[in-house]
Amino acid sequence: MSERVREGIVAPTGLIAHGRGEAFDYLLGERTTENARRAELTAAAMLIDANRPVISVNGNTAALCSEGIVALAEAVLARIEVNLFHRTPERVEKVCALMEAAGAKELLGRQPDATLPGIASDRAVCTRAGILSADVVLIPLEDGDRAEALAKLGKKVIAIDLNPLSRTSKAAHISIVDELTRAVPGIAAEVPELRRNGNRRLALMNSFDNARNLEEAMAIMCGNLRAAGEGKA
Ligand code: ATP
Ligand code: MG
């Protein structure tokens, strides 16, 4: 990651966010929990049934998981939009080039032509063909302001965020509390079977309760801490 900061792909604040993620992953036990797996299954169902799914990619996501994102986008027929929090033309180009080197085609984001209502201008920038007209948006490692703005616009929001307390996790319809490089292939792996089973997709989406999902993730973290405090881990 620090190499990606030197290259100008990850913003310095992105490195701090990465460290926050590592701390929460420690509490989780650095593994995909059953709870996260259910969220990943439900996310796969929602992406398959979406009309205009978009995966939003920032510097951290591109640095950690460019090929995984491209594979997932192909599996669920989603567009990829590069959308940076700390936006400069140079960084946009570098992140776009990294995604294209990983195989991304018809990438969106080099020329934003729309703004999301309700947030400060820099973060509001997006594309009409992508995030603005999407019905389902997957936002890995997103900031709370944008997650809330997307949800307010009526979009179904799927977050990947190791912090179950973040505003992003709370604003999303499905919050996947798992590390990015486990979560993205975890979603993609469910797609072939779920694609054949519309009833299962519907059942997964109807039974998913994000508030309960986040409570379970926090209970797992608390349990791990308690076990360690009692000398059991
Ligand atoms: P809020 O949503 O309240 O604004 P925040 O200010 O912490 O939270 P960001 O600064 O954008 O939001 O941080 C992005 C989030 O991504 C953090 O909550 C962090 O825990 C999480 N995160 C960082 N690295 C990873 C990773 N590799 N996998 C999953 N989540 C990660
Ligand atoms: Mg924030």
Side-chain angles (χ1 to χ4, degrees):
M1 273 307 249
S2 51
E3 182 56 29
R4 294 302 199 197
V5 176
R6 264 191 299 279
E7 290 167 7
I9 288 166
V10 172
T13 51
L15 199 58
I16 299 172
H18 182 67
R20 270 202 298 289
E22 286 183 326
F24 280 104
D25 203 20
Y26 234 88
L27 297 178
L28 205 58
E30 295 178 295
R31 69 198 160 88
T32 300
T33 61
E34 267 309 303
N35 161 270
R37 224 188 83 73
R38 191 171 349 105
E40 284 161 19
L41 255 172
T42 312
M46 190 179 270
L47 285 164
I48 291 169
D49 281 336
N51 292 318
R52 299 178 65 86
V54 172
I55 304 177
S56 178
V57 167
N58 60 20
N60 284 44
T61 301
L64 292 171
C65 198
S66 55
E67 286 173 8
I69 293 285
V70 171
L72 176 60
E74 282 175 4
V76 299
L77 308 176
R79 302 289 305 263
I80 299 174
E81 177 163 336
V82 168
N83 203 292
L84 305 184
F85 190 79
H86 299 285
R87 188 180 187 93
T88 65
E90 295 76 28
R91 270 193 77 226
V92 171
E93 186 46 44
K94 281 179 184 168
V95 175
C96 285
L98 182 61
M99 293 307 298
E100 283 168 348
K105 294 182 188 73
E106 297 178 37
L107 191 64
L108 296 164
R110 275 195 179 91
Q111 275 149 354
D113 56 3
T115 51
L116 290 175
I119 35 174
S121 57
D122 232 25
R123 307 173 196 180
V125 168
C126 66
T127 74
R128 201 169 291 281
I131 287 175
L132 192 73
S133 58
D135 58 343
V136 174
V137 190
L138 172 65
I139 47 169
L141 285 45
E142 183 58 272
D143 176 70
D145 282 350
R146 287 196 10 148
E148 285 171 357
L150 289 169
K152 270 206 195 102
L153 274 180
K155 306 197 184 296
K156 293 263 188 243
V157 175
I158 303 168
I160 300 173
D161 190 334
L162 278 158
N163 179 359
L165 296 160
S166 74
R167 283 182 301 136
T168 298
S169 288
K170 288 179 187 154
H173 298 89
I174 301 175
S175 303
I176 299 169
V177 183
D178 198 7
E179 205 280 323
L180 179 74
T181 63
R182 298 194 300 266
V184 169
I187 303 169
E190 306 294 350
V191 171
E193 200 181 317
L194 272 180
R195 192 177 280 295
R196 291 193 292 270
N197 196 337
N199 288 339
R200 176 120 195 271
R201 295 200 299 275
L202 211 59
L204 280 164
M205 286 189 281
N206 285 341
S207 64
F208 192 84
D209 174 345
N210 202 38
R212 201 178 64 209
N213 169 51
L214 291 175
E215 281 166 16
E216 282 172 10
M218 287 185 265
I220 291 167
M221 291 183 184
C222 287
N224 287 342
L225 261 185
R226 199 172 301 115
E230 292 165 358
K232 292 179 198 150

